[in-house]
Amino acid sequence: MTPDEFRAAAHVLVDWVADHRERVATLPVAAQVAPGEVARGLAPHAPEEPEPLADVLADLERVVVPGITQTQSPNFFGWFPSNAAPASVLGDLASSGLAALGITWASAPALTEVEEVVTEWLRELTGLPAGWRGAIHDTASTACLVALLAARERASGLSQNRGGLQGEPAPLVVYTSPQAHSSVAKAALLAGFGAANLRAVDVDPVTRAMLPDALAAALAEDVAAGRRPAAVVVAVGTTGTTAIDPLAELAPIAARYGAWVHVDAAMAGSALLLPERRWMIDGIEGADSLCWNPHKWMGTILDCSLLYVREADELVRVMSTDPSYLRSAVDGEVTQYRDWGIPLGRRFRSLKLWFHLRLDGVEAIRARLRRDLANAAWFAAQVEAEPDWRVLAPVTLQTVCVRHEPAGLADPGAGPGAGPGAGPGAGDALDRHTLAWASAVNDSGLAFVTPSQLDGRWLVRVSIGAEATEHEHVARLWDLLRATAGAAVASSSAAASSVASATA
Ligand SMILES: Cc1ncc(COP(=O)(O)O)c(C=O)c1O
């Protein structure tokens, strides 16, 4: 493709993308395909001859669009906001167009230095301590792995330079909340700690936040048994209910044992742009690292996860490589981001942040975050006020965990099996009802929500914060939830009475 051909094709594609964003609210929100359907819609072999762009776009429309959940729809309330602000899409395009190769500072000095400047902007904007430095990773999962690798090496006095963990006399232990994201346990396992050395520290039954006393007890017990605490992963905004672990109380406890404190604020970190939400990371001076994803609620297109560290040297001494073909005369003076993480080759990811912040401006992003917090508070208040509906966890941010508990389906209490006042199997019947109405909502294509378990029972998470979601969409969602859950009750009692009359 020549530059002129590229120009012509790119104009067509950009128009297609803009049209797609314009009509996304009218599309079914959930992906509309069965397993294998997308693959069957594609040619079984690669074309030998070039095809016209129009044919590719026709297949994009026919096969690909129905094969994705429309996270940019204002009616998307699933998992977490996965926003992709158009301004950031432009930055991503600039990054692809420039095609810089980030393997060393010298291979693309701008790639390193724009990242340094933009991560510094965001450090300041989120109230992280001066001197902390950031790098962009693909995901919070990778960032957590990087933090735990550094923690492992700190606790073991750089065991990688000896026999690794296999040569260590005492097991190293990682502590986190049972509400932490699955990526935390995954990172601990990948970093070699072993499942037997991963502790799920008790949480408060109401707030679901980690209990400092329970952390202190777990640490003391391990130390008494000859094990060495290596890391505490503190969740600021858990995935299930956005619980906020009390960092200011937890960090000093971890410090008694020299354990690394990593703060996982993957989703909630966007809210740190709001000065009134900075309390969420009170005590951050006592932590070693913090990760958050602008590619979630803030809206810089995937993949854009920030890992900040108090002391970058703790990463460098674990991850630096120095092959002769990557050396240059300025090595001692510049940042080599390859030494701050796992990959050698890095994309110019900072451009999407740079474009996003410059073209949208921080104040507009803050206004959107505040809008979402207000919408979540409004929605929670409607649910609380409605008979037969419950909000099941404190609403700390923009996620509201709800359940419809109609008469006849008693409150099951916690855990599998029926709680006080519930008949035998009432919890299971309530679970079936929750799953039935949640999938009816998603099947309708009108909105998308996520069923999730808490204390062994199903509930529905309503995660508010798609860029296009205004109050009217949240109000319509509430109407849809009530109508769908009501219809599910009606159809299951109709089914029950027809079974009863058939067996009478
Ligand atoms: C609290 C938390 N941590 C980590 C992750 C993992 O994020 P990523 O997809 O960037 O690895 C998530 C994703 O939802 C999350 O909510």
Side-chain angles (χ1 to χ4, degrees), residues 30-45:
Q32 299 293 298
V33 292
E37 201 176 325
V38 171
R40 280 194 300 279
L42 306 177
H45 305 288

Side-chain angles (χ1 to χ4, degrees), residues 410-446:
D411 179 343
D428 296 337
L430 185 61
D431 274 351
R432 280 195 298 279
H433 173 61
T434 305
L435 292 173
W437 70 257
S439 66
V441 167
N442 291 349
D443 290 348
S444 76
L446 296 173

Side-chain angles (χ1 to χ4, degrees), residues 79-80 138-142 179-184 235-240 264-268 291 293 295-296 302 305 461:
W79 306 298
F80 47 81
D138 54 0
T139 58
S141 304
T142 302
Q179 299 288 320
H181 190 261
S182 56
S183 57
V184 176
V236 169
T238 57
T239 308
D264 176 10
M267 206 288 301
C291 166
N293 289 350
H295 71 222
K296 287 189 157 78
L302 254 168
S305 181
R461 284 172 75 259

